[in-house]
């Protein structure tokens, strides 16, 4: 979920190293397809759940990744503290993970065009909607900060817990979390992972995963949330250290505007972004939203298998 007006965005040419001339279509799905900023995980029950921006963290359930049913919301009502950040208690861009015998749901609360924002966390024994206990703020930003505390993504590395986050306001950042509370360590260093050369620094929505000896930072660039006029696309860089520096396949740092183009709009699938990466049954998957040009720009769920070629990710055709 972007936090600045789409009209401010800058166009960026892709690095040619891994950019594809054409992109594979997402997995054909049925049922409830409407979604924004999806985070997907296979639960211990065997079901897949997708949480998203919209509602009080909207929920979808599937048995096979192909047919999705509306499952209501993570919460019945917004926690009271959310209203400090917007008048409707509207949450954005959740991130779902499992550790220490519990499911952890991170999310952001903010208002369009401001970095008066906060990231919160809730836990659940099952990961299902309606079972979440909120634990309040993890990390916050104010208008005096040079970062924006939205779009969280959780990663474990070397026995430590990290949260990447960010949107505009100089791009993607990272802080270390306390594994016990799931909240930012007191006085934690705010690491800088990726940005653009010029304002408004249109990069956001990180997802960070380990593959082999590298950490891979996926992020959404350009204009979200404008239907068929959206220019969202997904770029990626990698590093041998969780805190960076991250570079693309040409060696250009992501802190200097680098990033290999992984997936862009094509055909009816406009503005691909808001991504997350998950693994199930030995296969990596890329989840994202796109705006359907054949359905008035409605945001829908995109799922593609993610492959690896010479230690770089590639989007693959997903079987029908």
């Amino acid at each position: 979920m972007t936090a600045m007006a789409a009209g401010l965005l800058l166009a960026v040419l892709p690095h040619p190293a891994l950019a594809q001339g054409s992109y594979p279509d997402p997995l054909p799905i049925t049922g409830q397809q409407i979604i924004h900023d999806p985070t997907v995980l296979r639960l211990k029950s065997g079901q897949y759940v997708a949480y998203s921006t919209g509602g009080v963290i909207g929920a979808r359930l599937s048995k096979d990744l192909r047919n999705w049913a509306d499952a209501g919301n993570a919460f019945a009502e917004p926690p009271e503290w959310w209203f400090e950040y917007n008048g409707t208690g509207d949450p954005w861009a959740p991130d779902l993970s499992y550790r220490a015998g519990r499911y952890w749901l991170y999310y952001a609360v903010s208002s369009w065009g401001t970095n008066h924002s906060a990231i919160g966390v809730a836990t659940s024994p099952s990961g299902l909607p309606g079972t979440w206990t909120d634990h309040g703020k993890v990390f916050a930003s104010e208008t005096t900060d040079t970062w924006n505390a939205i779009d969280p993504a959780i990663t474990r590395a070397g026995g430590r817990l990290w949260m990447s986050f960010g949107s505009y306001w100089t791009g993607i950042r990272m802080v270390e979390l306390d594994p016990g509370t799931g909240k930012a360590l007191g006085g934690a260093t705010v690491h800088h992972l990726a940005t653009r050369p010029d304002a408004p620094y249109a990069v956001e929505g990180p997802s960070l995963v380990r593959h082999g000896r590298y950490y891979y930072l996926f992020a959404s660039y350009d204009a979200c949330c404008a239907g068929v006029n959206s220019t969202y696309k997904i770029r990626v860089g990698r590093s041998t250290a969780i805190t960076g520096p991250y570079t693309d396949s040409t060696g250009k740092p992501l802190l200097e505007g680098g990033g290999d183009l992984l997936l862009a709009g094509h055909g009816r699938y406009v503005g691909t972004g808001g991504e997350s990466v998950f693994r199930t049954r030995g296969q990596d998957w890329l989840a994202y939203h796109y705006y359907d040009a054949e359905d008035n720009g409605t945001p829908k769920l995109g799922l593609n298998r993610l492959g690896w070629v010479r230690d770089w990710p590639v989007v693959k055709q997903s079987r029908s």
Side-chain angles (χ1 to χ4, degrees), residues 18 20 23-27 65 207-211 216-219 234-237 260-263 275-288 302-309 311-319:
L18 294 178
Q20 297 166 258
Y23 299 94
D25 293 345
L27 181 75
L65 291 179
S207 182
L208 209 157
V209 298
R210 177 79 180 264
H211 179 80
Y216 293 83
L217 175 62
F218 301 78
I234 301 169
R235 295 181 180 273
V236 64
D260 285 324
L261 184 59
L262 180 72
L263 182 65
E275 78 292 331
S276 61
V277 177
F278 68 100
R279 187 171 180 81
T280 180
R281 302 184 184 277
Q283 172 66 57
D284 292 319
W285 288 81
L286 182 71
Y288 55 94
L303 294 169
N304 283 84
R305 290 182 300 133
L306 199 63
W308 300 89
V309 177
D311 288 326
W312 284 99
V314 292
V315 176
K316 302 177 71 174
Q317 188 74 43
S318 296
R319 301 180 186 89

Side-chain angles (χ1 to χ4, degrees), residues 142-222:
E142 297 299 338
T143 55
T144 53
D145 291 319
T146 56
W147 55 79
N148 191 14
I150 70 169
D151 295 0
I154 307 304
T155 310
R156 285 178 283 182
R160 298 161 72 178
L161 190 65
W162 301 87
M163 181 178 72
S164 51
F165 65 92
S167 170
Y168 294 68
W169 279 275
T170 70
I172 307 302
R173 303 280 181 153
M174 171 179 278
V175 293
E176 187 173 359
L177 306 182
D178 181 325
T181 65
K183 298 183 178 184
L185 293 173
T189 299
V190 180
H191 300 276
H192 202 183
L193 306 187
T195 191
R196 303 283 284 273
D198 302 298
Y201 315 109
V203 53
E204 60 186 5
S207 182
L208 209 157
V209 298
R210 177 79 180 264
H211 179 80
R213 67 189 187 95
Y214 293 103
Y215 296 95
Y216 293 83
L217 175 62
F218 301 78
S220 297
Y221 287 59
D222 297 325

Side-chain angles (χ1 to χ4, degrees), residues 45-61:
S45 65
Q47 290 179 294
Y48 293 94
V49 64
Y51 287 107
S52 65
T53 296
V56 197
I57 308 181
R60 314 281 186 266
L61 289 172

Side-chain angles (χ1 to χ4, degrees), residues 6 22 61 72 83 106 116 124 152 179 185 187 223 231 236 241 254 275 283 285:
S22 60
L61 289 172
F83 293 95
Y106 288 77
H116 173 61
S124 163
L185 293 173
T231 57
V236 64
L254 268 61
E275 78 292 331
Q283 172 66 57
W285 288 81

Side-chain angles (χ1 to χ4, degrees), residues 116-130:
H116 173 61
S117 310
I119 292 167
V121 66
T123 58
S124 163
S126 68
L128 290 169

